[in-house]
Amino acid sequence: MNETLSKILGGKQGAIGLAILAAFIMIVLPLGLDPFRLGLIGKYLTYAFVAVSLVLLWGNGGILSLGQGIFFGLGGYGMAMFLKLEASDPVSTAIQSTPGIPDFMDWNQLTALPWFWEPFKSLPLTILAILVVPTIFAFLIGYAMFKRRVGGVYFAIITQAIALILSILIVGQQGYTGGVNGITDLKTLLGWDIRSDSAKYVLYYVNAGLLIACILLSRYVLSSKFGMLLLAMRDKEERVRFSGYDVSNFKIFIFCLAAMISAIGGAMFTLQVGFMSPTFIGIVPSIEMVIFAAVGGRMSLIGAVYGTLLVNFGKTMFSETYPELWLFLMGGLFIAVVMFFPNGIAGIYEKYAKKVPFLRKLSEETPKAKKAEAIPAAPVETKEAGVKA
Amino acid sequence: MSNTDFVLAVEDLTVSFDGFKAVDKLNMYIDKNELRVVIGPNGAGKTTVLDLICGKTKSTAGSIKFKNRELTKLSEHEIVRAGVGRKFQTPSIYENLSVYQNLEVSYPKGRGVFGSLFFKRSDEVVAQVYKIAKEIMMEDILHTEAALLSHGQKQWLEIGMLLMQEPELLMLDEPVAGMSAKERDQTAELLNRICQNRSVIVIEHDMEFVKKIAHKVTVLHQGKILAEGAMDKVQANEKVIEVYLGH
């Protein structure tokens, strides 16, 4: 049990890093920022789920998905459909020709709720759908690609194409999906007004808690034999295959897990921001998420969160003053990170932490701790067996 | 084909790439605990034969039976699980992992997705890692990151990773390429030790090394067997001298 705990926390340094992150997003930011700014941070932190998923998938597994927006969007839409149905009760939609269905359906001459909206009348089913639908979708994509050994650039391009197709599909099917405007005017969750300041605080903390939980889950996966195999596959896929592992199954699993984590972020986005639209699914958001992970450090779960916050903070700053320059700046940032800091902020931290006395103390303790953890001492029986042999 | 006592029975094995027959109606039988060396000029089809046995390349015709089990229909990981290990020509190890981790990750338990998620490092695993590390003369450098190893050590590590799985048939593609004279001797000793309880197929060019290890030699030429038998007989064979060994 103790071993599992230390695995999840990532040893002493891992636990300290996580505690600092938790304190930063759960104490420092809420105390230092007004509700509007904190709302922005809450929104950014939902993207951090996707960045964390990319650390698993891309950083450790070497599988670059340029379509994580798909899963963020599916999660977000799942939540939005539930909230929209709650906001569309017969009383408040009495002026529609068909009361009781979402307003955009009424505008598009739909007279009954489509069948796939039915499960979203129930919150438990909605939560289940948020977790399961993106995972199944990822499984289908993963099964089709990884079993045929499609990888690398081809995988990236295909996921990108699927993201584009999905966003076009949503825009095109306005009556069923709300079209290009997305699903808007979301008001309450089981009668609880999600637009009030107090609700925003509660949702912010739920979001932060879920993010930490996802990081812990990811830590467990990465510290298991599965995590070691991911690194091995990234390095020498053939060797792993010829060591008796069905490589495709491992890739499918990590892709599904990354999809599920992204979907949780999407659902929290809808709750905090109050709408969901196809602009969060397509090509640009999917690539932006990769940049967040790259800036934070694609091998570092915690770095990914800081990277997300930093890039989005920069985006908000710059796009207020030079909106047309931001995309170029972001592209430049990505190129610069890849060329000069391939391990992002986390890499810079590790390189320079040793020069700061306080930080040095922290980082000096790790290598020893890591080694002691990674390599158990020789068992006594072996030595005897060796002598006999 | 009928069942045999051979560990490996290759019969009428053929593979053609766009009409070019890289391996042409090959027949080869490997005994229990035998160390067979396959030699031949470049392009003779040596590596292709290993690729066919381990499933990397699919055969066009013929059969490969491992302990009377047909391998041609199995996928790569199933062939490994049946007990066939393959070492690649260039050392193929996980550079970002330590020597210990390289060995542990090759341990044949927790091979499924969920098995690996809940894999526990038992005393048995640790004991096996130390046993193999001793075998490949690397027990003192378990902590070292594999990327920092010398070329020869990388070759040994890969052999060690295969030994972790206790394969009944081990296939090594040029295991001493790029090694110093001393490392070659040590590798020869290592191979003689590990073929005590398993069959080994080695592809090699270095004739001095072949003499040290081979029980039997097979000479391949243009996808066909040119000669087969004890080393001195093969060396004296006129055809072999003509196409491969030179005068």
Side-chain angles (χ1 to χ4, degrees):
Chain A
M1 192 61 223
N2 243 339
E3 199 193 335
T4 317
L5 190 70
S6 98
K7 258 187 170 182
I8 294 174
L9 291 174
K12 196 173 176 187
Q13 201 202 17
I16 292 171
L18 196 64
I20 293 172
L21 177 73
F24 181 62
I25 62 175
M26 293 172 114
I27 299 171
V28 177
L29 290 176
L31 284 179
L33 296 172
D34 57 80
F36 171 73
R37 292 276 165 195
L38 191 66
L40 284 180
I41 300 286
K43 183 170 90 175
Y44 303 159
L45 286 179
T46 64
Y47 303 147
F49 283 87
V50 187
V52 165
S53 81
L54 280 163
V55 170
L56 288 177
L57 189 63
W58 178 40
N60 285 276
I63 304 162
L64 177 58
S65 160
L66 292 179
Q68 286 307 93
I70 300 167
F71 310 113
F72 184 81
L74 286 176
Y77 266 93
M79 185 51 87
M81 285 159 83
F82 174 77
L83 298 175
K84 188 67 188 172
L85 286 180
E86 194 176 310
S88 314
D89 59 288
V91 180
S92 33
T93 52
I95 53 160
Q96 291 177 185
S97 42
T98 313
I101 62 171
D103 47 11
F104 58 83
M105 292 186 186
D106 196 55
W107 303 333
N108 286 280
Q109 280 85 45
L110 262 67
T111 52
L113 199 64
W115 61 269
F116 64 90
W117 276 73
E118 290 293 339
F120 294 93
K121 283 178 172 167
S122 135
L123 185 61
L125 280 183
T126 301
I127 292 173
L128 194 69
I130 287 168
L131 296 175
V132 170
V133 172
T135 310
I136 291 177
F137 195 51
F139 178 81
L140 294 177
I141 298 174
Y143 192 87
M145 307 257 255
F146 297 134
K147 286 285 177 193
R148 288 186 179 78
R149 300 195 185 158
V150 175
V153 178
Y154 302 100
F155 183 79
I157 292 170
I158 291 170
T159 50
Q160 177 102 96
I162 295 171
L164 184 63
I165 290 166
L166 192 65
S167 65
I168 291 172
L169 186 73
I170 289 173
V171 171
Q173 299 297 316
Q174 200 179 1
Y176 299 105
T177 62
V180 73
N181 299 319
I183 300 179
T184 54
D185 283 329
L186 310 174
K187 298 182 177 94
T188 56
L189 176 73
L190 298 177
W192 177 54
D193 191 343
I194 57 170
R195 294 162 302 175
S196 66
D197 274 354
S198 67
K200 286 208 177 318
Y201 271 107
V202 172
L203 288 172
Y204 177 87
Y205 276 102
V206 170
N207 184 44
L210 284 171
L211 181 60
I212 302 282
C214 284
I215 292 175
L216 290 174
L217 175 69
S218 307
R219 278 244 177 103
Y220 175 78
V221 170
L222 291 182
S223 64
S224 69
K225 184 177 178 182
F226 185 98
M228 208 148 70
L229 280 165
L230 273 187
L231 287 177
M233 270 161 34
R234 195 187 65 181
D235 197 5
K236 292 267 164 28
E237 188 176 321
E238 287 284 276
R239 185 66 267 164
V240 179
R241 183 170 290 130
F242 287 103
S243 296
Y245 297 97
D246 191 345
V247 169
S248 54
N249 288 348
F250 288 79
K251 291 186 168 182
I252 293 169
F253 179 85
I254 199 70
F255 189 50
C256 289
L257 182 66
M260 193 189 278
I261 291 175
S262 304
I264 297 172
M268 289 313 297
F269 176 91
T270 304
L271 278 171
Q272 293 188 91
V273 183
F275 77 100
M276 189 70 214
S277 87
T279 45
F280 299 99
I281 292 184
I283 290 180
V284 174
S286 295
I287 292 180
E288 274 182 335
M289 314 263 187
V290 173
I291 298 178
F292 302 158
V295 169
R298 62 195 179 119
M299 294 299 289
S300 167
L301 293 164
I302 289 179
V305 179
Y306 289 121
T308 310
L309 288 177
L310 199 72
V311 176
N312 279 290
F313 184 68
K315 182 179 179 176
T316 310
M317 295 271 288
F318 274 95
S319 53
E320 276 169 13
T321 28
Y322 309 105
E324 67 281 1
L325 277 181
W326 170 246
L327 272 183
F328 292 100
L329 199 72
M330 182 115 116
L333 180 70
F334 187 43
I335 294 170
V337 165
V338 169
M339 285 188 69
F340 304 113
F341 309 107
N343 289 320
I345 299 172
I348 297 172
Y349 169 79
E350 262 170 32
K351 197 169 166 194
Y352 294 103
K354 290 179 183 108
K355 295 187 179 157
V356 185
F358 165 70
L359 294 173
R360 182 171 59 215
K361 228 175 157 187
L362 279 182
S363 53
E364 265 176 2
E365 279 167 18
T366 22
K368 284 181 219 154
K370 247 188 188 167
K371 270 182 189 168
E373 207 274 322
I375 297 165
V380 186
E381 309 88 43
T382 335
K383 285 181 180 156
E384 285 167 3
V387 172
K388 272 181 221 157
Chain B
M1 299 287 159
S2 55
N3 285 351
T4 58
D5 291 336
F6 297 111
V7 168
L8 187 77
V10 174
E11 287 178 341
D12 290 330
L13 188 66
T14 304
V15 66
S16 83
F17 302 119
D18 296 330
F20 168 71
K21 284 186 174 164
V23 174
D24 192 4
K25 289 201 172 148
L26 184 82
N27 289 292
M28 190 163 80
Y29 302 91
I30 310 287
D31 273 326
K32 238 184 166 129
N33 299 345
E34 180 185 344
L35 197 158
R36 174 75 59 94
V37 179
V38 179
I39 60 173
N42 288 332
K46 307 184 293 291
T47 300
T48 311
V49 171
L50 294 201
D51 284 348
L52 286 164
I53 296 170
C54 75
K56 194 171 183 220
T57 306
K58 291 284 165 216
S59 62
T60 315
S63 95
I64 303 168
K65 280 194 170 166
F66 173 66
K67 295 193 297 175
N68 297 317
R69 186 173 171 199
E70 185 60 51
L71 292 187
T72 47
K73 304 276 183 295
L74 300 182
S75 58
E76 295 98 326
H77 67 273
E78 288 169 328
I79 294 175
V80 176
R81 289 179 193 185
V84 179
R86 159 84 189 269
K87 189 202 156 308
F88 294 99
Q89 199 163 351
T90 47
S92 192
I93 54 168
Y94 314 126
E95 308 237 326
N96 337 319
L97 301 181
S98 70
V99 171
Y100 181 90
Q101 288 172 319
N102 266 282
L103 292 172
E104 191 185 79
V105 97
S106 309
Y107 188 74
K109 287 274 164 60
R111 270 175 168 170
V113 169
F114 294 99
S116 71
L117 279 172
F118 303 110
F119 176 77
K120 283 262 183 296
R121 175 185 286 152
S122 63
D123 292 344
E124 218 176 300
V125 181
V126 179
Q128 175 78 349
V129 170
Y130 274 87
K131 184 182 140 206
I132 300 299
K134 194 180 164 70
E135 186 90 83
I136 58 171
M137 302 155 280
M138 295 176 86
E139 56 183 343
D140 298 330
I141 48 169
L142 282 172
H143 301 249
T144 312
E145 194 185 321
L148 304 174
L149 297 175
S150 72
H151 182 79
Q153 287 173 320
K154 284 180 182 173
Q155 300 273 36
W156 290 340
L157 178 57
E158 196 181 353
I159 294 174
M161 287 158 69
L162 295 172
L163 294 176
M164 283 297 289
Q165 302 160 20
E166 302 277 4
E168 284 176 68
L169 174 65
L170 192 58
M171 303 191 290
L172 308 172
D173 200 345
E174 300 201 19
V176 295
M179 279 190 182
S180 68
K182 187 182 168 218
E183 284 173 330
R184 276 163 201 251
D185 290 345
Q186 285 174 308
T187 308
E189 283 166 27
L190 172 66
L191 292 188
N192 283 326
R193 271 201 310 273
I194 62 177
C195 73
Q196 297 301 320
N197 38 27
R198 61 174 59 85
S199 310
V200 182
I201 303 177
V202 180
I203 291 180
E204 197 42 72
H205 278 295
D206 180 343
M207 295 315 284
E208 285 306 306
F209 181 73
V210 174
K211 269 183 218 162
K212 277 186 202 138
I213 59 167
H215 299 171
K216 229 170 147 185
V217 177
T218 297
V219 187
L220 278 189
H221 179 53
Q222 293 175 347
K224 291 179 180 166
I225 289 181
L226 194 67
E228 195 167 81
M231 182 67 188
D232 43 2
K233 258 174 76 186
V234 167
Q235 268 184 312
N237 186 309
E238 282 296 325
K239 282 188 290 181
V240 175
I241 292 169
E242 190 182 328
V243 304
Y244 182 52
L245 296 174
H247 295 273

